[in-house]
Amino acid sequence: MGLSTHVLDTMHGCPAAGMAVRLYRLDGSAAEPLASLVLDADGRAAGARLLGQAAFQAGRYRLVFSVGDYFRRRGVALPDPPFLDEVSVDFGVADAQGHYHVPLLVSPWSYATYRGS
């Protein structure tokens, strides 16, 4: 149980290895930092979980994906400023006993997300 993510680079057709991700818990206008990490070779958080069951609670969260930096490091010529720099995904957790998987499919020009399994 808990929270996980997986990022796929749709421009290159591969996992987004090395992308930086930050996780926040949202409370009104405040954003409490919970985790900062770099995705592994499979585009996932090491250990598969961003937040384990013990720290996971109902409420609002934000994942921030450093998309612009990732594509620059891959050698993609981006405009200045890039169309997508940081992608923020705000989502709610109603059942803290469940598993929430928040994947991101991303290119320098578009992204999609959904609640996965």
Side-chain angles (χ1 to χ4, degrees), residues 68-116:
D69 286 345
Y70 166 80
F71 283 108
R72 275 187 214 94
R73 282 194 322 278
R74 292 287 316 247
V76 176
L78 299 176
D80 187 19
F83 180 68
L84 294 177
D85 192 17
E86 290 195 325
V87 170
S88 295
V89 177
D90 290 6
F91 60 97
V93 170
D95 176 13
Q97 299 306 309
H99 175 70
Y100 284 72
H101 182 64
V102 183
L104 184 73
L105 307 173
V106 69
S107 81
W109 306 280
S110 67
Y111 68 92
T113 190
Y114 55 93
R115 181 175 176 192

Short mmCIF file of all heavy atoms in Angstrom, two decimals, residues 68-116:
data_model
loop_
_atom_site.label_atom_id
_atom_site.label_comp_id
_atom_site.label_asym_id
_atom_site.label_seq_id
_atom_site.Cartn_x
_atom_site.Cartn_y
_atom_site.Cartn_z
N GLY A 68 11.77 19.64 -17.72
CA GLY A 68 12.71 20.42 -18.53
C GLY A 68 14.15 19.99 -18.30
O GLY A 68 14.89 19.77 -19.26
N ASP A 69 14.54 19.86 -17.04
CA ASP A 69 15.91 19.43 -16.72
C ASP A 69 16.20 18.05 -17.29
O ASP A 69 17.28 17.79 -17.82
CB ASP A 69 16.14 19.42 -15.21
CG ASP A 69 16.27 20.81 -14.62
OD1 ASP A 69 16.48 21.78 -15.38
OD2 ASP A 69 16.16 20.92 -13.38
N TYR A 70 15.23 17.15 -17.17
CA TYR A 70 15.40 15.79 -17.68
C TYR A 70 15.69 15.82 -19.19
O TYR A 70 16.65 15.20 -19.67
CB TYR A 70 14.17 14.94 -17.38
CG TYR A 70 14.13 13.65 -18.16
CD1 TYR A 70 14.88 12.55 -17.77
CD2 TYR A 70 13.37 13.54 -19.33
CE1 TYR A 70 14.88 11.38 -18.50
CE2 TYR A 70 13.36 12.37 -20.07
CZ TYR A 70 14.12 11.29 -19.66
OH TYR A 70 14.11 10.14 -20.39
N PHE A 71 14.85 16.53 -19.97
CA PHE A 71 15.04 16.54 -21.42
C PHE A 71 16.31 17.30 -21.83
O PHE A 71 16.97 16.91 -22.80
CB PHE A 71 13.79 17.07 -22.13
CG PHE A 71 12.70 16.04 -22.20
CD1 PHE A 71 11.56 16.16 -21.43
CD2 PHE A 71 12.83 14.92 -23.01
CE1 PHE A 71 10.56 15.20 -21.47
CE2 PHE A 71 11.85 13.94 -23.06
CZ PHE A 71 10.71 14.09 -22.28
N ARG A 72 16.69 18.34 -21.09
CA ARG A 72 17.97 19.01 -21.38
C ARG A 72 19.13 18.04 -21.23
O ARG A 72 20.04 18.00 -22.05
CB ARG A 72 18.17 20.21 -20.45
CG ARG A 72 17.51 21.47 -20.92
CD ARG A 72 17.90 22.66 -20.03
NE ARG A 72 16.78 23.55 -19.94
CZ ARG A 72 15.86 23.56 -18.98
NH1 ARG A 72 15.94 22.71 -17.97
NH2 ARG A 72 14.87 24.41 -18.99
N ARG A 73 19.11 17.26 -20.14
CA ARG A 73 20.19 16.28 -19.91
C ARG A 73 20.19 15.20 -20.97
O ARG A 73 21.24 14.60 -21.25
CB ARG A 73 20.05 15.65 -18.52
CG ARG A 73 20.55 16.56 -17.40
CD ARG A 73 20.74 15.83 -16.07
NE ARG A 73 19.74 14.83 -15.78
CZ ARG A 73 18.53 15.07 -15.27
NH1 ARG A 73 18.14 16.29 -15.03
NH2 ARG A 73 17.69 14.07 -15.03
N ARG A 74 19.05 14.94 -21.60
CA ARG A 74 18.98 13.97 -22.70
C ARG A 74 19.44 14.56 -24.02
O ARG A 74 19.46 13.90 -25.04
CB ARG A 74 17.54 13.45 -22.88
CG ARG A 74 16.96 12.59 -21.78
CD ARG A 74 17.53 11.19 -21.72
NE ARG A 74 17.66 10.52 -22.98
CZ ARG A 74 16.99 9.45 -23.37
NH1 ARG A 74 16.06 8.95 -22.59
NH2 ARG A 74 17.22 8.89 -24.54
N GLY A 75 19.80 15.86 -24.01
CA GLY A 75 20.30 16.50 -25.22
C GLY A 75 19.23 17.07 -26.13
O GLY A 75 19.51 17.43 -27.28
N VAL A 76 18.00 17.18 -25.63
CA VAL A 76 16.91 17.75 -26.43
C VAL A 76 17.06 19.27 -26.46
O VAL A 76 17.23 19.90 -25.42
CB VAL A 76 15.54 17.34 -25.85
CG1 VAL A 76 14.40 18.00 -26.63
CG2 VAL A 76 15.39 15.83 -25.83
N ALA A 77 17.02 19.84 -27.65
CA ALA A 77 17.08 21.30 -27.80
C ALA A 77 15.72 21.88 -27.44
O ALA A 77 14.75 21.71 -28.18
CB ALA A 77 17.47 21.67 -29.23
N LEU A 78 15.64 22.53 -26.30
CA LEU A 78 14.39 23.11 -25.82
C LEU A 78 14.42 24.62 -25.99
O LEU A 78 15.47 25.24 -25.90
CB LEU A 78 14.19 22.79 -24.33
CG LEU A 78 14.10 21.32 -23.94
CD1 LEU A 78 14.01 21.18 -22.43
CD2 LEU A 78 12.93 20.65 -24.61
N PRO A 79 13.26 25.23 -26.22
CA PRO A 79 13.22 26.69 -26.26
C PRO A 79 13.47 27.26 -24.86
O PRO A 79 13.41 26.52 -23.87
CB PRO A 79 11.79 27.00 -26.73
CG PRO A 79 11.00 25.79 -26.37
CD PRO A 79 11.96 24.63 -26.42
N ASP A 80 13.73 28.54 -24.79
CA ASP A 80 13.96 29.19 -23.50
C ASP A 80 12.91 30.28 -23.31
O ASP A 80 12.97 31.27 -24.03
CB ASP A 80 15.36 29.78 -23.43
CG ASP A 80 15.68 30.32 -22.04
OD1 ASP A 80 14.99 29.92 -21.08
OD2 ASP A 80 16.60 31.15 -21.93
N PRO A 81 11.96 30.11 -22.43
CA PRO A 81 11.79 28.98 -21.52
C PRO A 81 11.16 27.78 -22.23
O PRO A 81 10.50 27.95 -23.25
CB PRO A 81 10.83 29.53 -20.45
CG PRO A 81 10.01 30.54 -21.18
CD PRO A 81 10.92 31.15 -22.21
N PRO A 82 11.36 26.58 -21.65
CA PRO A 82 10.76 25.40 -22.27
C PRO A 82 9.25 25.42 -22.12
O PRO A 82 8.71 26.03 -21.20
CB PRO A 82 11.37 24.23 -21.48
CG PRO A 82 11.75 24.82 -20.17
CD PRO A 82 12.12 26.26 -20.43
N PHE A 83 8.56 24.77 -23.04
CA PHE A 83 7.11 24.68 -22.96
C PHE A 83 6.69 24.02 -21.65
O PHE A 83 5.83 24.52 -20.94
CB PHE A 83 6.54 23.91 -24.16
CG PHE A 83 5.05 23.81 -24.13
CD1 PHE A 83 4.26 24.94 -24.30
CD2 PHE A 83 4.43 22.60 -23.93
CE1 PHE A 83 2.87 24.86 -24.26
CE2 PHE A 83 3.05 22.50 -23.89
CZ PHE A 83 2.27 23.63 -24.05
N LEU A 84 7.29 22.87 -21.31
CA LEU A 84 7.08 22.22 -20.02
C LEU A 84 8.40 22.24 -19.26
O LEU A 84 9.40 21.73 -19.76
CB LEU A 84 6.63 20.77 -20.19
CG LEU A 84 5.26 20.55 -20.83
CD1 LEU A 84 5.00 19.05 -21.00
CD2 LEU A 84 4.16 21.18 -20.00
N ASP A 85 8.39 22.83 -18.08
CA ASP A 85 9.58 22.85 -17.25
C ASP A 85 9.38 21.91 -16.07
O ASP A 85 10.02 20.88 -15.97
CB ASP A 85 9.91 24.26 -16.80
CG ASP A 85 11.28 24.38 -16.18
OD1 ASP A 85 12.11 23.47 -16.38
OD2 ASP A 85 11.53 25.38 -15.49
N GLU A 86 8.48 22.29 -15.18
CA GLU A 86 8.11 21.41 -14.08
C GLU A 86 6.63 21.08 -14.24
O GLU A 86 5.80 21.97 -14.44
CB GLU A 86 8.36 22.07 -12.74
CG GLU A 86 9.83 22.22 -12.44
CD GLU A 86 10.08 22.53 -10.98
OE1 GLU A 86 9.26 23.23 -10.35
OE2 GLU A 86 11.10 22.05 -10.46
N VAL A 87 6.30 19.80 -14.16
CA VAL A 87 4.92 19.36 -14.24
C VAL A 87 4.46 19.02 -12.83
O VAL A 87 5.05 18.16 -12.18
CB VAL A 87 4.78 18.13 -15.17
CG1 VAL A 87 3.39 17.53 -15.06
CG2 VAL A 87 5.10 18.51 -16.60
N SER A 88 3.43 19.72 -12.37
CA SER A 88 2.85 19.46 -11.05
C SER A 88 1.55 18.70 -11.22
O SER A 88 0.69 19.09 -12.02
CB SER A 88 2.56 20.77 -10.32
OG SER A 88 3.74 21.46 -10.05
N VAL A 89 1.40 17.65 -10.45
CA VAL A 89 0.18 16.86 -10.45
C VAL A 89 -0.38 16.87 -9.03
O VAL A 89 0.24 16.32 -8.12
CB VAL A 89 0.43 15.41 -10.93
CG1 VAL A 89 -0.86 14.59 -10.85
CG2 VAL A 89 1.02 15.39 -12.33
N ASP A 90 -1.50 17.55 -8.85
CA ASP A 90 -2.18 17.56 -7.56
C ASP A 90 -3.24 16.47 -7.57
O ASP A 90 -3.98 16.32 -8.54
CB ASP A 90 -2.85 18.91 -7.32
CG ASP A 90 -1.86 20.04 -7.09
OD1 ASP A 90 -0.64 19.80 -7.22
OD2 ASP A 90 -2.30 21.16 -6.79
N PHE A 91 -3.33 15.72 -6.47
CA PHE A 91 -4.30 14.62 -6.40
C PHE A 91 -4.72 14.40 -4.96
O PHE A 91 -4.04 14.82 -4.03
CB PHE A 91 -3.72 13.33 -7.01
CG PHE A 91 -2.47 12.85 -6.32
CD1 PHE A 91 -2.54 11.87 -5.35
CD2 PHE A 91 -1.24 13.38 -6.65
CE1 PHE A 91 -1.39 11.42 -4.70
CE2 PHE A 91 -0.08 12.95 -6.01
CZ PHE A 91 -0.16 11.97 -5.04
N GLY A 92 -5.88 13.78 -4.82
CA GLY A 92 -6.42 13.51 -3.49
C GLY A 92 -6.38 12.04 -3.16
O GLY A 92 -6.51 11.18 -4.03
N VAL A 93 -6.18 11.77 -1.88
CA VAL A 93 -6.19 10.40 -1.36
C VAL A 93 -7.36 10.30 -0.39
O VAL A 93 -7.37 10.97 0.64
CB VAL A 93 -4.86 10.08 -0.63
CG1 VAL A 93 -4.95 8.76 0.12
CG2 VAL A 93 -3.71 10.08 -1.62
N ALA A 94 -8.35 9.51 -0.75
CA ALA A 94 -9.52 9.33 0.10
C ALA A 94 -9.37 8.13 1.02
O ALA A 94 -9.88 8.12 2.14
CB ALA A 94 -10.77 9.16 -0.77
N ASP A 95 -8.65 7.11 0.57
CA ASP A 95 -8.49 5.86 1.32
C ASP A 95 -7.01 5.60 1.55
O ASP A 95 -6.32 5.05 0.69
CB ASP A 95 -9.13 4.70 0.54
CG ASP A 95 -8.93 3.36 1.22
OD1 ASP A 95 -8.51 3.33 2.40
OD2 ASP A 95 -9.19 2.33 0.56
N ALA A 96 -6.53 5.95 2.72
CA ALA A 96 -5.10 5.80 3.03
C ALA A 96 -4.69 4.34 3.17
O ALA A 96 -3.50 4.04 3.24
CB ALA A 96 -4.74 6.56 4.30
N GLN A 97 -5.64 3.42 3.21
CA GLN A 97 -5.31 1.99 3.28
C GLN A 97 -5.09 1.41 1.89
O GLN A 97 -4.61 0.30 1.74
CB GLN A 97 -6.43 1.22 3.98
CG GLN A 97 -6.66 1.68 5.40
CD GLN A 97 -5.39 1.64 6.24
OE1 GLN A 97 -4.70 0.63 6.28
NE2 GLN A 97 -5.08 2.74 6.90
N GLY A 98 -5.42 2.17 0.85
CA GLY A 98 -5.28 1.69 -0.52
C GLY A 98 -3.92 2.02 -1.10
O GLY A 98 -3.07 2.64 -0.46
N HIS A 99 -3.74 1.61 -2.35
CA HIS A 99 -2.52 1.94 -3.08
C HIS A 99 -2.86 2.97 -4.14
O HIS A 99 -3.82 2.81 -4.89
CB HIS A 99 -1.93 0.70 -3.76
CG HIS A 99 -0.73 1.02 -4.60
ND1 HIS A 99 0.47 1.40 -4.05
CD2 HIS A 99 -0.57 1.08 -5.95
CE1 HIS A 99 1.33 1.66 -5.04
NE2 HIS A 99 0.71 1.47 -6.20
N TYR A 100 -2.08 4.04 -4.18
CA TYR A 100 -2.25 5.08 -5.18
C TYR A 100 -1.00 5.11 -6.04
O TYR A 100 0.10 5.34 -5.54
CB TYR A 100 -2.47 6.44 -4.51
CG TYR A 100 -3.86 6.60 -3.96
CD1 TYR A 100 -4.26 5.91 -2.82
CD2 TYR A 100 -4.78 7.43 -4.58
CE1 TYR A 100 -5.53 6.06 -2.31
CE2 TYR A 100 -6.06 7.57 -4.08
CZ TYR A 100 -6.43 6.88 -2.94
OH TYR A 100 -7.71 7.02 -2.44
N HIS A 101 -1.19 4.86 -7.32
CA HIS A 101 -0.09 4.88 -8.29
C HIS A 101 -0.37 6.02 -9.24
O HIS A 101 -1.43 6.08 -9.85
CB HIS A 101 -0.01 3.55 -9.04
CG HIS A 101 1.12 3.47 -10.02
ND1 HIS A 101 2.44 3.53 -9.63
CD2 HIS A 101 1.12 3.37 -11.36
CE1 HIS A 101 3.21 3.45 -10.71
NE2 HIS A 101 2.43 3.36 -11.78
N VAL A 102 0.58 6.98 -9.34
CA VAL A 102 0.40 8.17 -10.18
C VAL A 102 1.48 8.17 -11.25
O VAL A 102 2.58 8.70 -11.05
CB VAL A 102 0.46 9.46 -9.33
CG1 VAL A 102 0.19 10.68 -10.20
CG2 VAL A 102 -0.52 9.40 -8.17
N PRO A 103 1.20 7.55 -12.40
CA PRO A 103 2.18 7.53 -13.49
C PRO A 103 2.13 8.81 -14.30
O PRO A 103 1.13 9.53 -14.31
CB PRO A 103 1.76 6.33 -14.33
CG PRO A 103 0.33 6.11 -14.00
CD PRO A 103 0.06 6.70 -12.67
N LEU A 104 3.23 9.09 -15.01
CA LEU A 104 3.31 10.25 -15.89
C LEU A 104 3.89 9.79 -17.22
O LEU A 104 4.93 9.13 -17.25
CB LEU A 104 4.20 11.33 -15.28
CG LEU A 104 4.28 12.64 -16.06
CD1 LEU A 104 2.99 13.45 -15.91
CD2 LEU A 104 5.46 13.48 -15.57
N LEU A 105 3.19 10.11 -18.30
CA LEU A 105 3.70 9.90 -19.66
C LEU A 105 4.05 11.29 -20.16
O LEU A 105 3.20 12.18 -20.14
CB LEU A 105 2.62 9.28 -20.54
CG LEU A 105 1.97 8.00 -20.01
CD1 LEU A 105 0.82 7.58 -20.90
CD2 LEU A 105 2.99 6.90 -19.88
N VAL A 106 5.31 11.50 -20.61
CA VAL A 106 5.74 12.87 -20.86
C VAL A 106 6.67 12.99 -22.07
O VAL A 106 7.46 12.09 -22.36
CB VAL A 106 6.40 13.46 -19.59
CG1 VAL A 106 7.74 12.78 -19.28
CG2 VAL A 106 6.55 14.95 -19.65
N SER A 107 6.53 14.11 -22.76
CA SER A 107 7.45 14.54 -23.81
C SER A 107 7.75 16.02 -23.51
O SER A 107 7.17 16.57 -22.57
CB SER A 107 6.81 14.39 -25.20
OG SER A 107 5.97 15.49 -25.49
N PRO A 108 8.60 16.67 -24.27
CA PRO A 108 8.84 18.10 -24.01
C PRO A 108 7.61 18.97 -24.27
O PRO A 108 7.59 20.13 -23.87
CB PRO A 108 9.96 18.45 -24.98
CG PRO A 108 10.65 17.17 -25.27
CD PRO A 108 9.56 16.14 -25.25
N TRP A 109 6.58 18.41 -24.92
CA TRP A 109 5.44 19.22 -25.34
C TRP A 109 4.10 18.76 -24.79
O TRP A 109 3.08 19.41 -25.02
CB TRP A 109 5.37 19.26 -26.86
CG TRP A 109 6.67 19.71 -27.42
CD1 TRP A 109 7.12 21.00 -27.52
CD2 TRP A 109 7.72 18.88 -27.90
NE1 TRP A 109 8.39 21.01 -28.04
CE2 TRP A 109 8.79 19.71 -28.29
CE3 TRP A 109 7.87 17.50 -28.04
CZ2 TRP A 109 9.97 19.24 -28.81
CZ3 TRP A 109 9.07 17.02 -28.56
CH2 TRP A 109 10.09 17.89 -28.93
N SER A 110 4.06 17.62 -24.10
CA SER A 110 2.78 17.14 -23.59
C SER A 110 3.00 16.16 -22.45
O SER A 110 4.09 15.60 -22.29
CB SER A 110 1.99 16.44 -24.70
OG SER A 110 2.64 15.25 -25.09
N TYR A 111 1.93 15.96 -21.67
CA TYR A 111 1.97 14.93 -20.63
C TYR A 111 0.57 14.41 -20.36
O TYR A 111 -0.42 15.07 -20.68
CB TYR A 111 2.63 15.43 -19.34
CG TYR A 111 1.85 16.48 -18.58
CD1 TYR A 111 0.96 16.13 -17.58
CD2 TYR A 111 2.05 17.83 -18.84
CE1 TYR A 111 0.26 17.09 -16.88
CE2 TYR A 111 1.35 18.79 -18.14
CZ TYR A 111 0.45 18.42 -17.16
OH TYR A 111 -0.23 19.38 -16.46
N ALA A 112 0.51 13.23 -19.79
CA ALA A 112 -0.76 12.62 -19.36
C ALA A 112 -0.50 11.89 -18.05
O ALA A 112 0.61 11.39 -17.82
CB ALA A 112 -1.26 11.66 -20.42
N THR A 113 -1.52 11.84 -17.23
CA THR A 113 -1.44 11.11 -15.98
C THR A 113 -2.78 10.47 -15.68
O THR A 113 -3.79 10.82 -16.32
CB THR A 113 -0.98 12.02 -14.81
OG1 THR A 113 -0.70 11.23 -13.66
CG2 THR A 113 -2.01 13.09 -14.50
N TYR A 114 -2.80 9.55 -14.75
CA TYR A 114 -4.03 8.85 -14.38
C TYR A 114 -3.76 8.11 -13.08
O TYR A 114 -2.62 8.03 -12.63
CB TYR A 114 -4.47 7.87 -15.49
CG TYR A 114 -3.39 6.88 -15.88
CD1 TYR A 114 -3.31 5.62 -15.30
CD2 TYR A 114 -2.43 7.21 -16.83
CE1 TYR A 114 -2.32 4.72 -15.63
CE2 TYR A 114 -1.42 6.32 -17.19
CZ TYR A 114 -1.38 5.07 -16.58
OH TYR A 114 -0.39 4.19 -16.92
N ARG A 115 -4.81 7.61 -12.46
CA ARG A 115 -4.60 6.77 -11.28
C ARG A 115 -4.41 5.34 -11.77
O ARG A 115 -5.32 4.71 -12.31
CB ARG A 115 -5.77 6.83 -10.31
CG ARG A 115 -5.46 5.94 -9.10
CD ARG A 115 -6.48 6.01 -8.01
NE ARG A 115 -6.09 5.03 -6.98
CZ ARG A 115 -6.87 4.67 -6.01
NH1 ARG A 115 -8.08 5.18 -5.90
NH2 ARG A 115 -6.47 3.78 -5.13
N GLY A 116 -3.21 4.84 -11.60
CA GLY A 116 -2.89 3.49 -12.04
C GLY A 116 -3.10 2.48 -10.94
O GLY A 116 -3.63 2.79 -9.88
#
